[in-house]
Amino acid sequence: MRVLSAFIGFCFLLLFAACRPSATTTPQPQQVAEVATPSPTPSPTPPRPSGAVEFTDITAEAGIRFKHHSGAFGKKYLPETIGSGCAFLDYDNDGWQDILLVNSMDWPENKKRRSYSALYHNNKDGTFTDVTAQSGLGLEMYGIGAAVADYDNDGNVDIYITNVGQNRLFRNLGGGKFVDVTARAGVGDPGFSTAAAWFDYDNDGRLDLFVGNYVEWSPETDQNCTLDGKNKSYCTPQTYKGQSPTLYHNRGNGTFENVTERAGMNEPAGKTLGVALLDYDSDGWMDLFVANDTEPNKLYRNNRNGTFTDNAVIAGVAFSEAGTARAGMGVDAADYDGSGRQSVVIGNFTNESIALYHNDGTGLFTNDAPASGIGKMSAQSLTFACFFFDYNLDGLVDIFAANGHVSDDISVVQPTVKYAQPPHLFHNRGRKKFEEVTAKLGRALNRAIVGRGAAYGDMDNDGDLDLLLTTNNGPARLLRNDNANQNDLLRVRTVGARANRDGVGAKVVVKTSKGRSIFAMVRTGSSYCSQSEMPLTFGLGKPEEGVTLSLEITWPGGQKDRIADLKPNQSITVQEGKGVVASEPIVFVRTPPPAPTPTPTPAAKS
């Protein structure tokens, strides 16, 4: 009888399984999918940190030994002033952010040493290992910027490095190996390239490539400029003709087509130093904001037919309030006021102030920098990298700016202006107001540097966002964020199916059961010639008992997924059409690096 009962129960289970819908069915575009949330195995609540938020310089103890080399040898060549960028990336898919640092080199007429960009592998214990030599990235070039993404949808993040001279595309083969595929891909762009960004402008599921170019310059055409009337100084970009950016369309077979002219982006006067992805009109198609140096900025609206229209002038972001073009450098876009719309921050020259363009939702932008407090606080700074990030996880994105002058002899004519300058960290107080808190966050952050590139990423997987900085002709710096994870958070990594695999362009909205809504978008590029990590970190503020979260993701192409009943303080991976496919709890307290093994003392000779 017991055997018969078991047999009947088994048949019932088979019948029930046959009637269930397949869990692998992918919803069609425009369909809203309610996807299930797996119940993670309960784990003990980790202890929360306490104390003031502080950024700690851990460069040396982390094993970062990189120093940027501009090649300067007295000729005062223009490219020596603009430095290089950096990136956080997970090149080996182990769930830990690695580091890429872009380097330049000696000029051919003064070849004395070799220098290379550097790839550092995250050892998961607070330290990094330089793996450049075995990675295939050890090619000498005059590097400026980097953009990283999985352009061929094979599951591995690839690297594009911009240069003075031919750019380089390195395809990730897996296993820590990269190969230079520039020639086959057709993305060399042999000008003076700076910022770049991967994005899918036609929503075909493949990442295309925007490359910003600066000026027509070579050692042979270098001009002679002076500040004191005697000695040569670095020239300004007005001395040189600009260069058009380049737009490459991904054919899907490992090659790209230059579609700049056809797309309406041929701008010979452009002098690009920064590019940011955004969908400023919320129509589901990626737009571009381009920051130009001493030329009008560009706001390229996607016409949804393979072409773009520059709406910068009519949107109010091309010029300053005085009607002049500013020296735009780094740029980023995010929702800083809870409006659900992406606004723009731009780094500018000394006496021009950082611009903070608020998206009014009508196609127009208003510069909120003066009213927010940022304008006055940044007036004496020369800002290169700038970006939005939530340094204290309170749910409002703050603004970081890396500063440093371009002229090492600027004090000759402007004694109050310094070559090395401390960065800015502007805390978002809400209601579109900011306060400068740099001096309150530790001596490491307040240190004056000749700042250029900058990126953020959670390098130690403790939930808060750390900083990576580059300096011109100087060392890189890694600043660990300590104690911000007293607040709750949620980290979200996106994996596209019909959309590009990285989910670049995916819009993610987190809603709490207490009625709060926070919006962010998966992006590449931004900052200055740099790229921050692609996983999104949502700060949720002070812990509250019983709070649950829901997630809505709008993927490029229109697919929408909704996920309910999520818990705070976890890192989740969401796949298009399938929901949460992996989750891990956040470990708030860092695991200290292992103590070094003592070196045995050799025995004394008799």
Side-chain angles (χ1 to χ4, degrees):
M1 183 60 111
R2 184 175 298 173
V3 174
L4 180 59
S5 298
F7 177 76
I8 292 172
F10 177 72
C11 292
F12 177 80
L13 287 175
L14 286 177
L15 180 62
F16 176 77
C19 294
R20 292 184 63 191
S22 171
T24 60
T25 301
T26 302
Q28 296 300 310
Q30 306 300 330
Q31 179 179 346
V32 177
E34 298 285 352
V35 288
T37 305
S39 299
T41 303
S43 58
T45 302
R48 305 303 289 256
S50 60
V53 177
E54 180 176 352
F55 284 89
T56 305
D57 190 334
I58 62 165
T59 312
E61 68 185 76
I64 306 295
R65 304 285 185 265
F66 178 87
K67 185 178 185 295
H68 174 253
H69 176 54
S70 70
F73 67 110
K75 289 293 187 73
K76 300 279 186 176
Y77 286 159
L78 178 66
E80 297 165 4
T81 66
I82 67 174
S84 64
C86 56
F88 278 112
L89 72 165
D90 182 7
Y91 75 87
D92 56 352
N93 292 321
D94 65 353
W96 292 74
Q97 293 296 315
D98 309 299
I99 286 174
L100 174 68
L101 295 161
V102 179
N103 211 349
S104 305
M105 66 178 189
D106 279 336
W107 298 108
E109 62 196 277
N110 187 53
K111 201 69 179 170
K112 292 184 176 180
R113 60 168 173 152
R114 303 183 73 83
S115 55
Y116 306 94
S117 299
L119 180 66
Y120 282 91
H121 177 254
N122 193 327
N123 298 326
K124 309 178 187 179
D125 60 3
T127 69
F128 292 79
T129 299
D130 186 340
V131 295
T132 311
Q134 58 265 42
S135 71
L137 297 175
L139 297 180
E140 198 171 29
M141 60 191 106
Y142 202 97
I144 303 294
V148 298
D150 182 4
Y151 79 89
D152 53 0
N153 290 333
D154 68 350
N156 297 312
V157 65
D158 310 295
I159 296 173
Y160 188 75
I161 296 180
T162 62
N163 297 288
V164 177
Q166 179 177 285
N167 300 334
R168 299 282 184 173
L169 174 59
F170 296 95
R171 180 170 179 258
N172 189 338
L173 302 178
K177 302 294 183 182
F178 291 81
V179 62
D180 185 350
V181 296
T182 311
R184 179 178 184 274
V187 292
D189 209 329
F192 183 165
S193 298
T194 51
W198 297 97
F199 74 128
D200 182 6
Y201 74 84
D202 54 355
N203 285 341
D204 65 354
R206 299 187 293 266
L207 289 174
D208 311 299
L209 178 63
F210 175 89
V211 180
N213 293 309
Y214 195 39
V215 296
E216 295 284 353
W217 178 91
S218 68
E220 294 73 29
T221 61
D222 186 70
Q223 301 295 305
N224 188 62
C225 301
T226 181
L227 288 176
D228 60 8
K230 300 177 183 179
N231 301 300
K232 183 178 181 182
S233 298
Y234 289 109
C235 293
T236 65
Q238 291 102 320
T239 314
Y240 301 94
K241 293 181 180 179
Q243 284 188 318
S244 174
T246 307
L247 180 65
Y248 292 104
H249 179 253
N250 189 337
R251 293 190 179 107
N253 60 358
T255 69
F256 292 77
E257 177 186 8
N258 185 334
V259 295
T260 312
E261 186 79 34
R262 189 166 75 234
M265 285 190 176
N266 186 27
E267 298 283 352
K271 296 177 181 178
T272 300
L273 286 179
V275 58
L277 307 182
L278 74 167
D279 180 10
Y280 80 95
D281 53 1
S282 302
D283 66 351
W285 295 73
M286 294 300 300
D287 311 306
L288 286 177
F289 193 104
V290 177
N292 284 319
D293 188 0
T294 69
E295 293 292 333
N297 298 321
K298 301 293 181 182
L299 176 61
Y300 288 113
R301 181 183 182 272
N302 193 328
N303 297 326
R304 298 181 272 185
N305 60 4
T307 69
F308 293 80
T309 300
D310 175 22
N311 284 344
V313 173
I314 61 174
V317 295
F319 303 99
S320 71
E321 286 78 1
T324 59
R326 292 193 270 197
M329 284 167 274
V331 61
D332 195 17
D335 175 16
Y336 75 87
D337 64 340
S339 65
R341 299 184 297 270
Q342 292 159 300
S343 298
V344 176
V345 63
I346 309 170
N348 292 306
F349 209 79
T350 307
N351 297 321
E352 292 182 340
S353 297
I354 292 174
L356 180 62
Y357 287 112
H358 179 259
N359 187 340
D360 296 337
T362 61
L364 302 177
F365 290 76
T366 302
N367 186 12
D368 273 356
S372 70
I374 289 177
K376 183 178 181 180
M377 291 184 285
S378 63
Q380 294 304 306
S381 302
L382 197 162
T383 299
F384 273 82
C386 60
F387 51 72
F388 294 102
F389 81 133
D390 188 357
Y391 84 91
N392 61 347
L393 303 175
D394 66 353
L396 295 171
V397 289
D398 312 293
I399 295 175
F400 177 82
N403 307 311
H405 211 277
V406 293
S407 299
D408 53 5
D409 54 355
I410 186 61
S411 60
V412 172
V413 291
Q414 297 185 54
T416 61
V417 178
K418 305 300 182 184
Y419 184 46
Q421 302 174 5
H424 292 301
L425 206 163
F426 299 111
H427 173 237
N428 189 339
R429 296 164 48 198
R431 301 182 182 274
K432 298 195 287 188
K433 299 292 183 182
F434 289 82
E435 64 175 329
E436 168 83 76
V437 295
T438 313
K440 300 177 182 179
L441 299 176
R443 287 183 298 175
L445 188 66
N446 202 39
R447 177 182 171 188
I449 60 174
V450 186
R452 293 297 186 261
Y456 63 82
D458 183 8
M459 66 95 188
D460 49 4
N461 279 2
D462 68 347
D464 52 26
L465 297 173
D466 311 296
L467 291 172
L468 179 65
L469 312 178
T470 66
T471 62
N472 191 31
N473 215 34
R477 300 180 67 210
L478 180 61
L479 305 184
R480 188 183 62 211
N481 186 337
D482 293 332
N483 297 328
N485 50 21
Q486 297 171 65
N487 285 331
D488 280 352
L489 66 128
L490 180 72
R491 282 176 59 81
V492 180
R493 174 177 173 258
T494 54
V495 178
R498 181 182 180 276
N500 66 86
R501 185 174 176 84
D502 287 327
V504 174
K507 300 174 185 177
V508 182
V509 178
V510 173
K511 296 182 179 181
T512 76
S513 55
K514 301 292 185 179
R516 192 172 192 181
S517 180
I518 308 170
F519 159 65
M521 188 178 78
V522 181
R523 298 162 298 155
T524 66
S526 287
S527 185
Y528 169 75
C529 297
S530 301
Q531 184 171 316
S532 298
E533 64 174 9
M534 275 192 279
L536 301 175
T537 295
F538 294 88
L540 303 173
K542 294 180 180 179
E544 294 185 73
E545 192 70 29
V547 170
T548 59
L549 311 172
S550 64
L551 209 64
E552 180 174 291
I553 302 180
T554 304
W555 301 87
Q559 164 73 30
K560 287 188 178 181
D561 289 340
R562 289 182 180 144
I563 304 163
D565 298 324
L566 288 167
K567 301 295 184 185
N569 302 320
Q570 59 177 324
S571 178
I572 64 174
T573 299
V574 181
Q575 186 171 346
E576 183 180 9
K578 292 186 177 180
V580 179
V581 295
S583 64
E584 292 185 6
I586 298 292
V587 179
F588 297 120
V589 180
R590 296 184 312 277
T591 303
T597 304
T599 303
T601 303
K605 293 182 180 179
S606 58

